[in-house]
Structure formats: structure tokens, C-alpha cells
Amino acid sequence: MKFGIRFRLVALALIVALMGALILLATLNSQRQAAELRARFSQVDFESFRIADQFRDSLRELNNTMQRYGTEHDPVVWNEFLEASHKLDGWIDEQKPKLITQREKDALQQIDVAYDDYMRVARDLQAKLQSLGQPGATLADFNPLRAASQHLFDLGQTLGKAHYDSRRQMLAHANQTLTQLRWLVLGSLGLLFVFGVALAGMVYRDMIAPLRVKLVESQSLMERHEKLASLGLLAAGVAHEIRNPLTAIKAALFIQQKNFQPGSPEHTDTKLVEREILRLERIVNDFLHFARPTEPQFATIPADLVLLETQHCLATQLAQANIRLVLESSAPMRIRVDPAQIQQVLINLVQNAADSIAHDGTITLRARRDRKPLANGETDVVILEVTDTGKGISPEIEKRLFDPFFTTKDTGTGLGLSIAAGIVQNHGGALQYQTHVHHGTTFGIVLPQATE
Ligand code: ADP
């Protein structure tokens, strides 16, 4: 059972650790992916998607200026052309680092080369226009420039297409990352849910359900106690009726015994009958005590007095079974008790201890101080202890230890501990025990310490 609980606790700790690790991993992974996505987006200058458009606009502008120069032959217009063409050249160089894919970079490289061609053609055309003078130029003279510019437009088109593909690729990648993140979050939440349900199940099974069982158990225990108590009352009635004839039989037997020679078979028989009568008397007395506990007659006495008297009373008898009854010395302390009743409890505990040892062992009596929760809360107490070196109490017996009429002995009534617990309770105290199977048991009578 203990192994089961430990195993479950370890399993629970492992599951919690595993869940924690999984969630941590998922969080770190999603953070990494989000950071990657952010970095990718910030890398991209969205203006760069307009490079192709801007280039084509500037080129169209240049062509128009050249066209104007062809009709006007004005050196100012030519200068305008040169200025604009320089600007465009610089602008092409500036765009290079902004491009992402190789296709875009290749297209811009080709534009760069073709642009040099275009400029060379433009300069040739300007020289020719200058030498021809106005209005010598024909449309055919513009054909090389038109061809060079058309080639640049085509390359601009290629760059535009490469841009479009690059953008699509990036969006597809972002989409994929977002889908992954979504699944990661959903997966983590799913795992958390499953874990929560499992944990709730475990808590219910291990903590709530057993409580319910315990309630049911204690309910049935109470019912059983009630039944036993009424049975005890009935038995006590019978016991009372038995006690009187028993006393008469004992008296008659005592008279008869005197007529027989000690050692004769008749004398031996009377001894046997006497032993059995004593046993009957004990049972009858136990029943009566159980059914009608008497009110304690309190007196304040030194704690070790009852222990000493118990030792005097039982030591010789126990020595026959080679059981030593030892009284440990202790500091003086006082208790307010009914000495006869507490001694009755002690005798019972010592007798149980001796039964557990059977022969060869030690029973130790001691008194010690402590603080314990009693009916009136935490209290200074004196504990009268009976420690034996017997066989201990197994868990099966422990469950029924204080049940009235529960006994493991052939000649037991099973009332000793019930009566003892009742008496100690009437003193405002409690009965406690610790046991170690095969090593022994310590019963303690916990009593409030007497105020002087
Ligand atoms: P009885 O002595 O008539 O059996 P008790 O109520 O005094 O009735 O004890 C009930 C049972 O508790 C005993 O039969 C015995 O099995 C167990 N028991 C009590 N004291 C001890 C002890 N010190 N060591 C081992 N078992 C004990």
C-alpha cells in the first residue's frame, strides 16, 4: 500500500515534470519561430517590392527627356537627361542590398549592365543629333535608343516577376510558420487539458473517493458499535444474574475443598473448578464494566504511584514466564485520576503485553511529560506507558483493535481495550499506541497533568 502511494507520487511528479518540459519546449520553439518570422519581416524593406515599378517610371522619364532633346536640341534638356540618368544609375546601385532572392539580384545585375548600354546609345544619339543640327534627325535615328530602352523595360518586367514570386514565397512561409504555431499552441492546450482531467481523476480516486469510503466505513462502524453496545447491555444483564449464583458456587466450593486432602484427585478437581469459576468471574466483571462504566473518584497522586502498584501486583506472576516487569524512574509529576480505575487499565495493558510476549521478554513501565491535543486543545500531559518486547500488532488486527468483543485469544473477551479506552476518556484523556510488528508495542495512557 505504502509502495503504491509512493509509486503514484513519483509517477505524478514525473508526469508534471514531463508536461512542464513539453510546454517549455513548445514555448521556446514558438518563441524562436516568432522571432525568426519577425526578423524575416523586418529584413524586408517593403519599398523594395516597388523597385521594378520605380525603375520603369524613371526610364520612361529619361526616354521622354531624350525625345524632348531630339526636337528642341536644347543643351539644358541634355543636361537634365544626364542628371536624371546619373540619379537612376546611383539608385540602381542602392537597390542591390534590398533584394532577397537570387532571381531578383540577377535581374538587377542585368539591368545594371543593360543600363550602361542604354547610356552609351543615348550619348551616341546625342552626338549624332548635335552634328546633324535641327531638324536633321529622323525617327530611325531613335531606333537604337528605343531598342535599348525596350530591353531595359523587359528586364524591368523580369525583375517585377521575380519580386512577385519572392513576395508569394515569403507569405507562404509566414503562413506555414503561423500554422505550425497554431498547432503547437493547440497541442499544448490539448495536453494540458488531458493532464488536468487525469489529475482531477487521480485526486478524486485517491483523495475524495477514499474519504467517501471512510465515511461509509465509519458510518457502518458506528452502527456496529451501537449494535454491540445494545448486545453488551443484554449480556451485562445476563452477567449480573450469573454473578450471584457464581458467588454461591464459589463459597460452596471453598467449603468442599476443605474436605479433600491436598494432592488427592478430588482436590485437584476442585482446583480446576475454582480456576474456571475465576475465569467466569472475570468475564462477568468485564461485561459489567463495559456496559456500566462507573464514575471515577478523582484524587491527585504522584504518577509513578500507580505504576509502582501495578509492578507489585504483577511482577511475581510474570516472572514465572520469564517476563521482567521494569519500572523506569522519572521526574516527579502528578495526575488527577481515580487510582483504582487507572490501575485497572494498566493491569489490562500489562496483561496484553505479557500475552503478546508469551515468555522471555521485558515489559517497561514509565511516566513522561509531553504536550498533546486533548478535548480542550493542546494540553500539558503525563503519559503512562507500557512497552513490551512482544510480537507487535499486525495491520489487520490494528483495524479492529478497539472493537468491543474483538479478541485473538482463546480465553479473551475482547473487552479489555474498549473498557480501558472508556475509562481513560472519562478522565479527559486518551489511549494511544505505537507498534512495530515482530518488535513490540507501546501503549500510552495520556492524562492531563494535574495542576497543584
Ligand atoms: P483481549 O485481551 O480479551 O483479547 P483486548 O481488547 O484487551 O481484549 O485486546 C484485543 C486484542 O488486541 C487482543 O486479542 C490482541 O490481539 C491485541 N492486543 C492488545 N494489546 C496488544 C499488545 N500489547 N501486543 C499485541 N497485541 C495486542
Side-chain angles (χ1 to χ4, degrees), residues 260-275:
F260 301 123
Q261 273 292 323
S264 66
E266 292 83 2
H267 192 269
T268 315
D269 283 350
T270 54
K271 279 283 166 201
L272 183 94
V273 175
E274 188 191 340
R275 251 202 333 270

Side-chain angles (χ1 to χ4, degrees), residues 282 286 348-357 386-388 390-394 397-398 400-420 433-435 440-443:
R282 193 166 58 80
D286 272 1
N348 196 283
L349 295 180
V350 172
Q351 240 140 21
N352 277 346
D355 289 341
S356 173
I357 294 172
V386 179
T387 300
D388 67 60
K391 56 183 186 294
I393 306 171
S394 67
I397 295 178
E398 260 191 282
R400 305 196 55 197
L401 198 60
F402 289 93
D403 279 4
F405 308 113
F406 170 75
T407 181
T408 56
K409 301 170 196 165
D410 293 340
T411 55
T413 57
L415 288 174
L417 286 179
S418 305
I419 293 171
Y433 72 95
Q434 295 110 39
T435 188
T441 306
T442 296
F443 270 91

Side-chain angles (χ1 to χ4, degrees), residues 226-332:
E226 272 167 22
K227 269 190 211 149
L228 285 173
S230 35
L231 213 104
L233 272 177
L234 194 75
V238 178
H240 192 71
E241 291 308 312
I242 291 174
R243 196 154 65 163
N244 294 339
L246 211 57
T247 316
I249 294 171
K250 212 165 92 178
L253 185 76
F254 187 65
I255 295 165
Q256 282 296 314
Q257 252 175 358
K258 288 188 177 156
N259 298 329
F260 301 123
Q261 273 292 323
S264 66
E266 292 83 2
H267 192 269
T268 315
D269 283 350
T270 54
K271 279 283 166 201
L272 183 94
V273 175
E274 188 191 340
R275 251 202 333 270
E276 290 307 305
I277 289 173
L278 286 176
R279 192 156 87 88
L280 275 173
E281 250 184 358
R282 193 166 58 80
I283 295 171
V284 164
N285 284 338
D286 272 1
F287 274 132
L288 288 173
H289 272 302
F290 175 67
R292 289 190 219 119
T294 46
E295 275 300 306
Q297 304 296 312
F298 285 104
T300 305
I301 54 161
D304 53 3
L305 185 68
V306 267
L307 296 177
L308 197 68
E309 283 186 1
T310 308
Q311 190 193 31
H312 281 160
C313 194
L314 295 172
T316 323
Q317 181 200 325
L318 296 179
Q320 288 168 11
N322 203 18
I323 297 171
R324 289 192 323 130
L325 185 56
V326 182
L327 173 58
E328 258 181 28
S329 61
S330 57

Side-chain angles (χ1 to χ4, degrees), residues 124-426:
D124 289 351
L125 178 63
Q126 189 265 342
K128 192 171 183 181
L129 290 176
Q130 214 173 20
S131 65
L132 287 174
Q134 210 170 6
T138 61
L139 270 179
D141 292 324
F142 282 86
N143 278 351
L145 188 73
R146 230 174 267 128
S149 119
Q150 186 55 50
H151 183 49
L152 275 175
F153 272 120
D154 291 347
L155 286 174
Q157 192 79 17
T158 312
L159 180 63
K161 177 94 176 61
H163 268 339
Y164 176 74
D165 288 347
S166 159
R167 195 167 27 195
R168 231 186 32 190
Q169 233 177 43
M170 209 176 95
L171 286 177
H173 187 266
N175 222 4
Q176 195 188 351
T177 310
L178 283 175
T179 312
Q180 274 175 7
L181 279 179
R182 206 174 54 215
W183 280 115
L184 212 67
V185 171
L186 280 178
S188 303
L189 283 177
L191 271 176
L192 265 179
F193 178 74
V194 170
F195 175 67
V197 169
L199 197 68
M202 273 167 84
V203 168
Y204 177 81
R205 198 187 55 193
D206 292 344
M207 294 172 85
I208 299 170
L211 265 184
R212 287 185 56 200
V213 172
K214 265 191 192 152
L215 278 178
V216 173
E217 270 177 4
S218 58
Q219 181 73 23
S220 62
L221 210 70
M222 267 166 56
E223 281 165 10
R224 206 166 86 225
H225 269 201
E226 272 167 22
K227 269 190 211 149
L228 285 173
S230 35
L231 213 104
L233 272 177
L234 194 75
V238 178
H240 192 71
E241 291 308 312
I242 291 174
R243 196 154 65 163
N244 294 339
L246 211 57
T247 316
I249 294 171
K250 212 165 92 178
L253 185 76
F254 187 65
I255 295 165
Q256 282 296 314
Q257 252 175 358
K258 288 188 177 156
N259 298 329
F260 301 123
Q261 273 292 323
S264 66
E266 292 83 2
H267 192 269
T268 315
D269 283 350
T270 54
K271 279 283 166 201
L272 183 94
V273 175
E274 188 191 340
R275 251 202 333 270
E276 290 307 305
I277 289 173
L278 286 176
R279 192 156 87 88
L280 275 173
E281 250 184 358
R282 193 166 58 80
I283 295 171
V284 164
N285 284 338
D286 272 1
F287 274 132
L288 288 173
H289 272 302
F290 175 67
R292 289 190 219 119
T294 46
E295 275 300 306
Q297 304 296 312
F298 285 104
T300 305
I301 54 161
D304 53 3
L305 185 68
V306 267
L307 296 177
L308 197 68
E309 283 186 1
T310 308
Q311 190 193 31
H312 281 160
C313 194
L314 295 172
T316 323
Q317 181 200 325
L318 296 179
Q320 288 168 11
N322 203 18
I323 297 171
R324 289 192 323 130
L325 185 56
V326 182
L327 173 58
E328 258 181 28
S329 61
S330 57
M333 50 194 105
R334 296 174 77 78
I335 44 176
R336 190 167 163 70
V337 293
D338 181 325
Q341 287 193 359
I342 293 300
Q343 189 159 2
Q344 185 194 341
V345 174
L346 278 168
I347 288 175
N348 196 283
L349 295 180
V350 172
Q351 240 140 21
N352 277 346
D355 289 341
S356 173
I357 294 172
H359 51 77
D360 304 317
T362 308
I363 299 170
T364 310
L365 303 175
R366 78 176 70 77
R368 65 179 179 89
R369 282 200 183 91
D370 205 340
R371 266 187 83 75
K372 290 268 168 187
L374 290 180
N376 299 331
E378 279 280 310
T379 318
D380 284 328
V381 295
V382 171
I383 307 179
L384 306 177
E385 283 184 338
V386 179
T387 300
D388 67 60
T389 55
K391 56 183 186 294
I393 306 171
S394 67
E396 299 78 55
I397 295 178
E398 260 191 282
K399 277 185 218 153
R400 305 196 55 197
L401 198 60
F402 289 93
D403 279 4
F405 308 113
F406 170 75
T407 181
T408 56
K409 301 170 196 165
D410 293 340
T411 55
T413 57
L415 288 174
L417 286 179
S418 305
I419 293 171
I423 290 176
V424 178
Q425 217 169 350
N426 281 349

